[in-house]
């Protein structure tokens, strides 16, 4: 994973630099998310990695799928990725791009996994607390995961706070087995 991020970083930085220059950061976010979704399709992914598939035909088909979803610069970016055999990096490029965008715009994406749904008031309280402690604007992404049993798991960049019952049980299990 680290190797893929290392390969993807120059592409994401170049895209972000161009997006900032042309004031199209939002459009590039949508384009990269769309491309990531397209590459999540099993048949497209298999075709992208199949050496028997003619490159020109694959480019034509992929760009027809992306019609109306990406700009001309986005189309050129796709062609560049295919030419350099880097289309498999699109998810990492998108993720790194969003990190650069968040840093530039002064916010941080925080992923919350909780065993039970949070009310709007709970989400607002959590947002306020995180903004105070992180000194940044916070964008919450909340996901309910009943396998956690109880508690909350938060990820903000490279910071992880595991306040789940499952996490505590795992820690207890490790202590008892060592």
């Amino acid at each position: 994973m680290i190797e893929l991020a290392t390969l993807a970083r120059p592409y994401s930085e170049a895209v972000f630099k161009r997006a900032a220059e042309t004031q199209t950061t939002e459009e590039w976010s949508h384009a990269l998310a769309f491309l990531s979704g397209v590459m999540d399709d099993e048949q497209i992914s298999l075709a992208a990695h199949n050496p028997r598939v003619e490159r020109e035909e694959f480019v034509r088909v992929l760009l027809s799928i992306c019609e109306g979803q990406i700009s001309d610069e986005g189309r050129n970016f796709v062609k560049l990725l295919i030419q350099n055999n880097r289309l498999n990096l699109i998810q990492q490029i998108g993720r790194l791009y969003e990190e650069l965008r968040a840093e530039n715009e002064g916010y941080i994406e925080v992923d919350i996994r909780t065993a039970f749904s949070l009310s709007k008031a709970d989400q607002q309280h959590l947002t306020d607390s995180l903004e105070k402690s992180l000194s940044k604007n916070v964008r919450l992404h909340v996901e309910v995961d009943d396998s956690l049993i109880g508690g909350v798991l938060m990820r903000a960049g490279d910071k992880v706070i595991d306040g789940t019952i499952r996490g505590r049980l795992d820690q207890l299990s490790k202590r008892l087995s060592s």
Side-chain angles (χ1 to χ4, degrees), residues 111-130:
D111 294 320
I112 306 286
R113 287 179 50 212
T114 178
F116 303 99
S117 61
L118 298 175
S119 69
K120 293 291 180 190
D122 290 339
Q123 288 183 30
Q124 186 59 50
H125 178 71
L126 190 54
T127 299
D128 294 342
S129 297
L130 288 169

Side-chain angles (χ1 to χ4, degrees), residues 16-173:
F16 182 76
K17 182 179 179 184
R18 181 65 183 153
E21 287 172 356
T22 59
Q23 299 178 348
T24 56
T25 55
E26 184 72 24
E27 291 86 356
W28 272 102
S29 285
H30 292 297
L32 292 171
F34 181 79
L35 288 167
S36 292
V38 169
M39 289 307 297
D40 279 341
D41 182 86
E42 186 178 341
Q43 290 181 334
I44 302 268
S45 182
L46 288 173
H49 298 96
N50 187 341
R52 293 182 179 173
V53 173
E54 173 119 11
R55 289 294 102 189
E56 291 79 24
E57 180 66 15
F58 179 74
V59 169
R60 189 187 63 72
V61 170
L62 184 61
L63 292 179
S64 72
I65 292 169
C66 297
E67 189 68 37
Q69 299 293 323
I70 62 174
S71 67
D72 288 340
E73 284 187 335
R75 295 170 68 84
N76 290 337
F77 183 64
V78 168
K79 290 176 186 176
L80 177 72
L81 291 176
I82 292 170
Q83 179 183 343
N84 293 336
N85 293 319
R86 296 290 190 244
L87 191 58
N88 63 321
L89 300 176
I90 196 66
Q91 282 88 1
Q92 288 81 10
I93 293 168
R95 185 181 51 76
L96 292 170
Y97 173 88
E98 290 303 326
E99 288 176 10
L100 291 168
R101 181 176 175 210
E103 184 177 322
N104 184 62
E105 294 178 8
Y107 67 88
I108 188 165
E109 303 277 344
V110 178
D111 294 320
I112 306 286
R113 287 179 50 212
T114 178
F116 303 99
S117 61
L118 298 175
S119 69
K120 293 291 180 190
D122 290 339
Q123 288 183 30
Q124 186 59 50
H125 178 71
L126 190 54
T127 299
D128 294 342
S129 297
L130 288 169
E131 285 178 349
K132 186 182 267 187
S133 67
L134 297 173
S135 301
K136 289 187 176 190
N137 291 328
V138 170
R139 293 187 183 172
L140 285 185
H141 301 281
V142 179
E143 175 187 339
V144 176
D145 181 355
D146 58 0
S147 73
L148 298 177
I149 304 170
V152 176
L153 176 67
M154 292 185 273
R155 284 194 169 97
D158 59 352
K159 295 178 184 166
V160 177
I161 300 170
D162 188 351
T164 63
I165 293 174
R166 172 163 305 288
R168 290 181 182 168
L169 287 172
D170 289 345
Q171 287 176 352
L172 180 61
S173 174

